[in-house]
Amino acid sequence: QVHLVESGGGLVQAGGSLRLSCVASGRTGSTGTMAWFRQAPGKEREFVASVWSGGLTRYADSVKGRFTIARDNAKSTVSLQMTGLKPEDTAVYYCAAKVIASSDYRYWGQGTQVTVSS
């Protein structure tokens, strides 16, 4: 019902910034919480940040103060502004969305690569 497409990944030096975007299409009115996850090579996928449709946000401790998640319900988009990037931020970043009243993330994007050089 919902299709997610991420963009904005790339190669950046440590200390640099990137802005990731996720565009949702389909039955976007059914989406609840949207989030960003990331997965580094050989590592488990981990939570990065989430935003409720009402605007409440939550961040992983590792990115607090550096990353900002924002949602534009009218445009059905969610972004992740990343600053002060570190090599350990290198990963494939995935956009995810919950259906309203669902406890899990049902929809996932294909991911966008973020590489931070040291």
Side-chain angles (χ1 to χ4, degrees):
Q1 292 185 318
V2 178
H3 181 61
L4 305 175
V5 179
E6 306 97 333
S7 64
L11 175 64
V12 64
Q13 294 186 32
S17 301
L18 282 174
R19 182 179 184 274
L20 306 183
S21 294
C22 174
V23 179
S25 61
R27 292 182 58 84
T28 57
S30 68
T31 60
T33 301
M34 297 190 71
W36 288 95
F37 289 77
R38 66 187 182 187
Q39 186 169 23
K43 301 292 183 64
E44 293 289 318
R45 181 177 296 178
E46 65 175 348
F47 169 82
V48 175
S50 64
V51 56
W52 172 56
S53 60
L56 295 177
T57 59
R58 182 168 70 91
Y59 297 91
D61 288 340
S62 60
V63 306
K64 286 181 179 178
R66 298 189 299 119
F67 292 8
T68 301
I69 188 170
R71 182 172 184 168
D72 187 333
N73 291 324
K75 296 182 179 180
S76 299
T77 61
V78 62
S79 65
L80 185 69
Q81 178 64 51
M82 306 184 294
T83 61
L85 285 163
K86 305 174 181 179
E88 52 262 45
D89 294 319
T90 295
V92 176
Y93 284 69
Y94 297 90
C95 179
K98 292 181 178 180
V99 174
I100 294 175
S102 177
S103 61
D104 61 345
Y105 289 94
R106 181 175 298 181
Y107 302 104
W108 295 83
Q110 296 184 69
T112 184
Q113 177 70 47
V114 172
T115 302
V116 184
S117 62
S118 59

